[in-house]
Protein backbone atom coordinates (compact mmCIF):
# COMPACT_ATOMS: atom_id res chain seq x y z
CA UNK A 1 0.00 0.00 0.00
CA UNK A 2 2.92 2.34 0.68
CA UNK A 3 4.12 1.70 -2.91
CA UNK A 4 0.68 2.68 -4.18
CA UNK A 5 0.73 5.95 -2.19
CA UNK A 6 4.16 6.84 -3.51
CA UNK A 7 2.95 6.18 -7.07
CA UNK A 8 -0.04 8.46 -6.57
CA UNK A 9 2.14 11.20 -5.10
CA UNK A 10 4.44 11.25 -8.11
CA UNK A 11 1.61 10.96 -10.63
CA UNK A 12 -0.72 13.66 -9.35
CA UNK A 13 1.45 16.46 -8.04
CA UNK A 14 -0.40 19.45 -9.64
CA UNK A 15 1.56 22.41 -10.98
CA UNK A 16 0.57 26.03 -10.24
CA UNK A 17 -1.67 27.15 -13.10
CA UNK A 18 -2.53 30.71 -14.13
CA UNK A 19 -5.85 31.69 -15.63
CA UNK A 20 -4.15 32.34 -18.94
CA UNK A 21 -3.19 28.70 -19.41
CA UNK A 22 -6.49 26.87 -18.98
CA UNK A 23 -6.04 25.14 -22.31
CA UNK A 24 -2.78 23.55 -21.24
CA UNK A 25 -4.32 22.71 -17.88
CA UNK A 26 -7.12 20.87 -19.63
CA UNK A 27 -4.56 18.88 -21.55
CA UNK A 28 -2.72 18.06 -18.32
CA UNK A 29 -6.00 16.98 -16.79
CA UNK A 30 -6.59 14.57 -19.66
CA UNK A 31 -3.09 13.16 -19.24
CA UNK A 32 -3.48 12.80 -15.47
CA UNK A 33 -6.85 11.13 -15.72
CA UNK A 34 -5.57 8.74 -18.33
CA UNK A 35 -2.67 7.91 -16.06
CA UNK A 36 -5.12 7.38 -13.21
CA UNK A 37 -6.95 4.74 -15.20
CA UNK A 38 -3.64 2.97 -15.92
CA UNK A 39 -2.66 3.08 -12.24
CA UNK A 40 -6.02 1.65 -11.27
CA UNK A 41 -5.45 -1.32 -13.58
CA UNK A 42 -1.93 -1.83 -12.21
CA UNK A 43 -3.12 -1.67 -8.62
CA UNK A 44 -5.83 -4.26 -9.31
CA UNK A 45 -3.27 -6.55 -10.91
CA UNK A 46 -0.88 -6.03 -7.99
CA UNK A 47 -3.57 -6.89 -5.45
CA UNK A 48 -4.55 -9.99 -7.37
CA UNK A 49 -0.94 -11.13 -7.54
CA UNK A 50 -0.22 -10.51 -3.86
CA UNK A 51 -3.41 -12.30 -2.83
CA UNK A 52 -4.78 -9.41 -0.76
CA UNK A 53 -8.42 -9.49 0.26
CA UNK A 54 -11.32 -8.21 -1.77
CA UNK A 55 -11.96 -5.56 0.89
CA UNK A 56 -8.46 -4.16 0.35
CA UNK A 57 -9.09 -3.92 -3.37
CA UNK A 58 -12.40 -2.18 -2.70
CA UNK A 59 -10.71 0.33 -0.41
CA UNK A 60 -8.11 1.07 -3.07
CA UNK A 61 -10.80 1.63 -5.69
CA UNK A 62 -12.63 3.96 -3.30
CA UNK A 63 -9.41 5.89 -2.75
CA UNK A 64 -8.90 6.27 -6.48
CA UNK A 65 -12.48 7.41 -6.98
CA UNK A 66 -12.00 9.95 -4.15
CA UNK A 67 -8.79 11.25 -5.72
CA UNK A 68 -10.54 11.59 -9.09
CA UNK A 69 -13.43 13.47 -7.47
CA UNK A 70 -11.10 15.87 -5.60
CA UNK A 71 -9.01 16.42 -8.73
CA UNK A 72 -12.10 17.23 -10.77
CA UNK A 73 -13.32 19.66 -8.06
CA UNK A 74 -9.93 21.43 -7.96
CA UNK A 75 -9.89 21.82 -11.76
CA UNK A 76 -13.43 23.24 -11.73
CA UNK A 77 -12.26 25.80 -9.16
CA UNK A 78 -9.62 26.84 -11.69
CA UNK A 79 -12.34 27.34 -14.31
CA UNK A 80 -11.54 24.20 -16.35
CA UNK A 81 -14.51 22.13 -17.51
CA UNK A 82 -14.17 18.44 -16.61
CA UNK A 83 -17.30 16.94 -18.09
CA UNK A 84 -16.73 13.20 -18.86
CA UNK A 85 -16.56 12.35 -22.56
CA UNK A 86 -18.64 9.22 -22.16
CA UNK A 87 -18.49 5.75 -20.69
CA UNK A 88 -15.92 3.13 -21.70
CA UNK A 89 -17.54 0.27 -23.63
CA UNK A 90 -15.38 -2.23 -21.71
CA UNK A 91 -15.43 -1.10 -18.07
CA UNK A 92 -18.52 1.16 -18.35
CA UNK A 93 -16.80 3.90 -16.32
CA UNK A 94 -16.65 7.59 -17.33
CA UNK A 95 -13.82 8.65 -19.61
CA UNK A 96 -12.34 12.00 -18.59
CA UNK A 97 -8.88 11.59 -20.10
CA UNK A 98 -7.74 10.29 -23.46
CA UNK A 99 -10.43 8.48 -25.42
CA UNK A 100 -10.49 6.13 -28.41
CA UNK A 101 -13.57 6.10 -30.59
CA UNK A 102 -14.01 2.90 -32.59
CA UNK A 103 -16.74 0.45 -33.59
CA UNK A 104 -19.28 3.17 -32.81
CA UNK A 105 -18.23 3.26 -29.14
CA UNK A 106 -15.76 5.00 -26.81
CA UNK A 107 -12.97 3.28 -24.94
CA UNK A 108 -10.21 3.93 -22.46
CA UNK A 109 -7.02 3.46 -24.55
CA UNK A 110 -5.90 0.55 -22.36
CA UNK A 111 -9.29 -1.14 -22.74
CA UNK A 112 -9.42 -1.10 -26.54
CA UNK A 113 -7.64 -4.40 -27.20
CA UNK A 114 -7.44 -7.20 -29.79
CA UNK A 115 -10.21 -9.74 -29.25
CA UNK A 116 -7.83 -12.65 -29.92
CA UNK A 117 -4.47 -11.82 -28.31
CA UNK A 118 -5.64 -9.18 -25.82
CA UNK A 119 -2.88 -6.72 -26.71
CA UNK A 120 -3.69 -3.02 -26.63
CA UNK A 121 -4.58 -1.72 -30.09
CA UNK A 122 -4.29 1.96 -29.24
CA UNK A 123 -4.11 4.19 -32.30
CA UNK A 124 -2.71 1.44 -34.55
CA UNK A 125 -4.74 0.18 -37.53
CA UNK A 126 -7.10 -2.70 -36.76
CA UNK A 127 -9.69 -4.89 -38.44
CA UNK A 128 -13.33 -5.32 -37.45
CA UNK A 129 -15.26 -8.58 -37.70
CA UNK A 130 -18.65 -9.27 -36.10
CA UNK A 131 -18.31 -5.92 -34.31
CA UNK A 132 -15.06 -7.04 -32.66
CA UNK A 133 -11.60 -5.53 -33.04
CA UNK A 134 -8.56 -7.56 -34.14
CA UNK A 135 -4.93 -6.51 -34.56
CA UNK A 136 -3.63 -6.88 -38.10
CA UNK A 137 -1.55 -10.00 -37.43
CA UNK A 138 -4.34 -11.95 -35.71
CA UNK A 139 -6.97 -10.92 -38.24
CA UNK A 140 -4.92 -12.20 -41.17
CA UNK A 141 -4.03 -15.41 -39.35
CA UNK A 142 -7.66 -16.07 -38.44
CA UNK A 143 -9.68 -14.80 -41.39
CA UNK A 144 -7.59 -13.92 -44.46
CA UNK A 145 -7.63 -16.38 -47.40
CA UNK A 146 -4.50 -18.51 -47.66
CA UNK A 147 -2.24 -19.06 -50.63
CA UNK A 148 -2.64 -22.51 -52.18
CA UNK A 149 1.14 -22.68 -52.76
CA UNK A 150 2.74 -21.41 -49.52
CA UNK A 151 -0.35 -21.66 -47.22
CA UNK A 152 0.46 -18.23 -45.71
CA UNK A 153 -2.31 -15.61 -45.25
CA UNK A 154 -2.73 -13.30 -48.23
CA UNK A 155 -2.54 -9.71 -46.98
CA UNK A 156 -2.11 -7.82 -50.26
CA UNK A 157 -3.15 -8.55 -53.82
CA UNK A 158 -4.99 -11.83 -54.27
CA UNK A 159 -5.33 -14.04 -57.34
CA UNK A 160 -8.18 -16.52 -57.67
CA UNK A 161 -7.77 -19.51 -60.00
CA UNK A 162 -8.67 -23.20 -60.05
CA UNK A 163 -11.14 -22.58 -57.19
CA UNK A 164 -8.24 -21.53 -54.93
CA UNK A 165 -6.53 -18.32 -53.82
CA UNK A 166 -2.89 -17.46 -54.48
CA UNK A 167 -0.26 -14.80 -53.96
CA UNK A 168 0.15 -13.47 -57.54
CA UNK A 169 3.87 -14.34 -57.49
CA UNK A 170 3.09 -17.93 -56.41
CA UNK A 171 0.77 -18.82 -59.30
CA UNK A 172 3.20 -20.10 -61.92
CA UNK A 173 3.80 -22.92 -64.41
CA UNK A 174 4.37 -26.30 -62.75
CA UNK A 175 7.02 -27.23 -65.32
CA UNK A 176 9.10 -24.10 -66.04
CA UNK A 177 8.20 -21.94 -63.02
CA UNK A 178 7.29 -18.87 -65.08
CA UNK A 179 4.48 -16.60 -63.90
CA UNK A 180 1.60 -16.72 -66.38
CA UNK A 181 1.23 -13.88 -68.86
CA UNK A 182 -1.51 -12.84 -71.24
CA UNK A 183 -1.57 -16.32 -72.87
CA UNK A 184 -3.22 -17.77 -69.77
CA UNK A 185 -2.69 -21.32 -68.58
CA UNK A 186 -3.88 -24.90 -68.94
CA UNK A 187 -4.69 -27.39 -66.16
CA UNK A 188 -3.65 -31.03 -66.07
CA UNK A 189 -4.17 -33.30 -63.04
CA UNK A 190 -4.94 -30.27 -60.89
CA UNK A 191 -1.70 -28.45 -61.80
CA UNK A 192 -1.33 -25.28 -63.90
CA UNK A 193 0.93 -25.14 -66.97
CA UNK A 194 1.85 -22.37 -69.41
CA UNK A 195 0.58 -22.89 -72.96
CA UNK A 196 4.03 -23.77 -74.32
CA UNK A 197 4.81 -26.45 -71.76
CA UNK A 198 1.30 -27.87 -71.80
CA UNK A 199 1.44 -28.40 -75.56
CA UNK A 200 4.99 -29.73 -75.40
CA UNK A 201 4.22 -32.22 -72.62
CA UNK A 202 0.61 -33.26 -73.16
CA UNK A 203 -0.42 -32.51 -76.77
CA UNK A 204 -0.35 -35.48 -79.18
CA UNK A 205 2.87 -35.68 -81.24
CA UNK A 206 3.03 -35.83 -85.01
CA UNK A 207 4.34 -39.22 -86.23
CA UNK A 208 6.26 -37.42 -88.97
CA UNK A 209 8.15 -34.68 -87.08
CA UNK A 210 7.52 -35.57 -83.40
CA UNK A 211 6.34 -32.01 -82.68
CA UNK A 212 3.06 -31.23 -80.86
CA UNK A 213 -0.09 -31.12 -82.99
CA UNK A 214 -2.07 -28.01 -82.02
CA UNK A 215 -4.50 -27.20 -84.83
CA UNK A 216 -5.36 -29.19 -87.96
CA UNK A 217 -4.24 -32.79 -88.10
CA UNK A 218 -4.69 -36.09 -89.93
CA UNK A 219 -5.32 -39.43 -88.34
CA UNK A 220 -3.79 -42.39 -90.18
CA UNK A 221 -1.82 -45.55 -89.42
CA UNK A 222 -2.98 -45.33 -85.78
CA UNK A 223 -1.18 -42.01 -85.36
CA UNK A 224 -1.63 -38.24 -85.59
CA UNK A 225 0.05 -36.20 -88.34
CA UNK A 226 0.42 -32.59 -89.38
CA UNK A 227 -1.13 -32.45 -92.87
CA UNK A 228 2.19 -31.30 -94.32
CA UNK A 229 4.03 -34.21 -92.65
CA UNK A 230 1.85 -36.97 -94.06
CA UNK A 231 3.87 -37.68 -97.24
CA UNK A 232 5.71 -40.55 -98.93
CA UNK A 233 8.76 -41.53 -96.86
CA UNK A 234 10.94 -41.76 -99.99
CA UNK A 235 9.97 -38.93 -102.33
CA UNK A 236 8.18 -36.70 -99.74
CA UNK A 237 5.31 -36.11 -102.15
CA UNK A 238 1.83 -35.65 -100.73
CA UNK A 239 -0.92 -38.08 -101.58
CA UNK A 240 -3.10 -36.10 -103.95
CA UNK A 241 -5.72 -38.83 -104.40
CA UNK A 242 -5.75 -39.63 -100.65
CA UNK A 243 -4.47 -43.16 -101.32
CA UNK A 244 -1.19 -44.49 -99.96
CA UNK A 245 0.59 -47.72 -99.18
CA UNK A 246 1.79 -48.76 -95.74
CA UNK A 247 5.11 -50.37 -94.96
CA UNK A 248 6.51 -50.63 -91.44
CA UNK A 249 3.87 -48.16 -90.21
CA UNK A 250 5.10 -45.54 -92.69
CA UNK A 251 3.20 -44.19 -95.73
CA UNK A 252 4.51 -44.61 -99.28
CA UNK A 253 3.31 -43.71 -102.72
CA UNK A 254 2.61 -46.67 -104.99
CA UNK A 255 5.92 -46.52 -106.86
CA UNK A 256 8.17 -46.33 -103.84
CA UNK A 257 6.15 -48.92 -101.97
CA UNK A 258 6.82 -51.40 -104.81
CA UNK A 259 10.44 -50.35 -104.94
CA UNK A 260 10.75 -51.15 -101.25
CA UNK A 261 9.08 -54.49 -101.90
CA UNK A 262 11.14 -55.21 -105.04
CA UNK A 263 8.02 -55.42 -107.23
CA UNK A 264 8.88 -52.81 -109.89
CA UNK A 265 9.12 -54.04 -113.47
CA UNK A 266 12.73 -54.01 -114.67
CA UNK A 267 11.51 -53.44 -118.19
CA UNK A 268 9.17 -50.43 -117.81
CA UNK A 269 10.00 -49.21 -114.30
CA UNK A 270 6.41 -49.33 -113.16
CA UNK A 271 4.87 -51.26 -110.28
CA UNK A 272 3.83 -54.83 -110.93
CA UNK A 273 0.30 -55.64 -109.87
CA UNK A 274 -0.67 -59.23 -110.66
CA UNK A 275 1.41 -61.79 -112.53
CA UNK A 276 5.14 -61.24 -112.92
CA UNK A 277 8.23 -62.96 -114.30
CA UNK A 278 11.37 -63.29 -112.18
CA UNK A 279 14.64 -63.54 -114.04
CA UNK A 280 18.25 -62.46 -113.64
CA UNK A 281 17.46 -61.12 -110.16
CA UNK A 282 14.69 -58.84 -111.43
CA UNK A 283 10.96 -58.88 -111.88
CA UNK A 284 9.09 -58.13 -115.10
CA UNK A 285 5.60 -57.70 -116.34
CA UNK A 286 5.06 -60.80 -118.54
CA UNK A 287 4.60 -58.58 -121.60
CA UNK A 288 7.85 -56.72 -120.83
CA UNK A 289 9.99 -59.86 -120.60
CA UNK A 290 11.15 -59.80 -124.27
CA UNK A 291 14.13 -60.46 -126.50
CA UNK A 292 16.45 -57.47 -126.45
CA UNK A 293 16.99 -57.74 -130.23
CA UNK A 294 13.66 -58.68 -131.81
CA UNK A 295 11.45 -57.60 -128.90
CA UNK A 296 9.51 -60.85 -129.09
CA UNK A 297 7.90 -61.84 -125.78
CA UNK A 298 9.76 -64.68 -124.16
CA UNK A 299 7.51 -67.52 -123.13
CA UNK A 300 7.87 -70.49 -120.86
CA UNK A 301 11.03 -69.09 -119.29
CA UNK A 302 13.20 -70.07 -122.30
CA UNK A 303 15.83 -67.38 -123.06
CA UNK A 304 19.51 -66.74 -123.40
CA UNK A 305 21.43 -64.10 -121.40
CA UNK A 306 24.27 -61.94 -122.68
CA UNK A 307 25.69 -58.89 -120.87
CA UNK A 308 22.62 -58.60 -118.66
CA UNK A 309 20.17 -58.77 -121.55
CA UNK A 310 17.71 -61.44 -122.57
CA UNK A 311 17.54 -62.95 -126.06
CA UNK A 312 15.39 -65.53 -127.75
CA UNK A 313 17.30 -68.58 -129.05
CA UNK A 314 17.25 -67.61 -132.78
CA UNK A 315 18.55 -64.08 -132.11
CA UNK A 316 21.18 -65.31 -129.67
CA UNK A 317 22.54 -67.82 -132.27
CA UNK A 318 22.49 -65.19 -134.98
CA UNK A 319 24.32 -62.62 -132.89
CA UNK A 320 26.70 -64.55 -130.70
CA UNK A 321 27.28 -68.11 -132.05
Amino acid sequence: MQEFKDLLFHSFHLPVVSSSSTTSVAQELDDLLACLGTIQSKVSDSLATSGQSTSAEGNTTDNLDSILKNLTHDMQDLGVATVPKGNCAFCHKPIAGKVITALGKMWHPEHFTCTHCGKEVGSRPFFERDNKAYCQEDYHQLFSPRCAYCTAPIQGKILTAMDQTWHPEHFFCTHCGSVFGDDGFQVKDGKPYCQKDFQSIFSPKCRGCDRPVMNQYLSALNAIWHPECFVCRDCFCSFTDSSFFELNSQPYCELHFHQQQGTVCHGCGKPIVGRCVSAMGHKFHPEHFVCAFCLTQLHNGIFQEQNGKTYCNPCFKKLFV
Side-chain angles (χ1 to χ4, degrees):
M1 183 59 70
Q2 180 61 39
E3 180 184 357
F4 166 64
K5 290 180 179 180
D6 293 341
L7 182 61
L8 290 180
F9 175 77
H10 290 294
S11 299
F12 295 103
H13 179 69
L14 290 175
V16 178
V17 182
S18 66
S19 59
S20 61
S21 58
T22 56
T23 301
S24 63
V25 170
Q27 179 61 46
E28 291 222 12
L29 173 61
D30 281 349
D31 294 339
L32 291 173
L33 292 177
C35 185
L36 180 61
T38 304
I39 293 171
Q40 188 173 11
S41 297
K42 290 182 178 179
V43 170
S44 298
D45 293 340
S46 176
L47 290 173
T49 302
S50 62
Q52 295 186 33
S53 64
T54 306
S55 60
E57 182 177 357
N59 291 335
T60 301
T61 302
D62 292 340
N63 289 335
L64 290 174
D65 291 341
S66 177
I67 291 172
L68 178 60
K69 182 177 180 180
N70 292 335
L71 180 61
T72 303
H73 179 72
D74 290 341
M75 297 307 295
Q76 288 175 342
D77 288 344
L78 293 172
V80 179
T82 59
V83 177
K85 301 173 183 178
N87 292 333
C88 174
F90 176 77
C91 68
H92 307 295
K93 293 184 178 181
I95 304 173
K98 290 183 179 179
V99 62
I100 289 181
T101 302
L103 307 179
K105 302 175 182 179
M106 290 185 291
W107 314 72
H108 289 115
E110 65 274 14
H111 289 162
F112 186 59
T113 59
C114 172
T115 301
H116 184 71
C117 67
K119 293 181 180 179
E120 184 176 329
V121 175
S123 58
R124 293 178 297 149
F126 69 94
F127 288 88
E128 181 270 336
R129 186 181 179 91
D130 297 331
N131 205 33
K132 296 179 181 178
Y134 294 85
C135 64
Q136 291 188 4
E137 180 179 356
D138 285 339
Y139 181 86
H140 288 303
Q141 287 293 334
L142 293 171
F143 305 115
S144 290
R146 294 185 175 268
C147 175
Y149 176 76
C150 68
T151 71
I154 303 175
Q155 301 184 23
K157 292 183 178 179
I158 184 171
L159 189 151
T160 302
M162 301 168 55
D163 297 325
Q164 299 180 90
T165 52
W166 314 72
H167 290 113
E169 65 273 16
H170 287 164
F171 188 59
F172 47 75
C173 175
T174 301
H175 184 71
C176 68
S178 298
V179 176
F180 301 116
D182 296 335
D183 291 339
F185 64 95
Q186 297 284 349
V187 179
K188 180 71 174 180
D189 298 329
K191 298 179 180 180
Y193 294 84
C194 64
Q195 298 286 2
K196 179 181 178 181
D197 286 336
F198 182 84
Q199 293 166 357
S200 175
I201 298 172
F202 301 111
S203 293
K205 302 297 191 298
C206 172
R207 172 71 66 80
C209 66
D210 201 38
R211 289 184 290 110
V213 177
M214 294 178 286
N215 297 314
Q216 294 182 341
Y217 66 91
L218 293 175
S219 179
L221 304 177
N222 296 320
I224 301 296
W225 309 74
H226 292 114
E228 62 273 17
C229 293
F230 190 63
V231 294
C232 173
R233 292 297 93 187
D234 272 358
C235 66
F236 302 106
C237 293
S238 59
F239 306 112
T240 54
D241 57 357
S242 298
S243 62
F244 63 92
F245 291 80
E246 176 188 359
L247 182 64
N248 299 326
S249 298
Q250 295 293 332
Y252 289 88
C253 64
E254 184 179 17
L255 174 62
H256 290 104
F257 171 80
H258 285 285
Q259 282 183 350
Q260 292 288 333
Q261 295 288 81
T263 54
V264 173
C265 177
H266 188 65
C268 69
K270 294 182 179 182
I272 300 173
V273 179
R275 294 172 57 243
C276 71
V277 175
S278 296
M280 302 183 303
H282 300 290
K283 289 183 172 62
F284 299 84
H285 289 113
E287 62 273 20
H288 294 156
F289 186 57
V290 297
C291 173
F293 185 75
C294 69
L295 302 180
T296 301
Q297 183 175 348
L298 302 172
H299 296 284
N300 301 322
I302 299 173
F303 66 95
Q304 298 291 336
E305 177 187 357
Q306 183 69 28
N307 297 327
K309 295 180 180 180
T310 57
Y311 294 89
C312 60
N313 283 328
C315 291
F316 182 82
K317 292 178 181 179
K318 182 189 295 186
L319 296 172
F320 304 109
V321 177

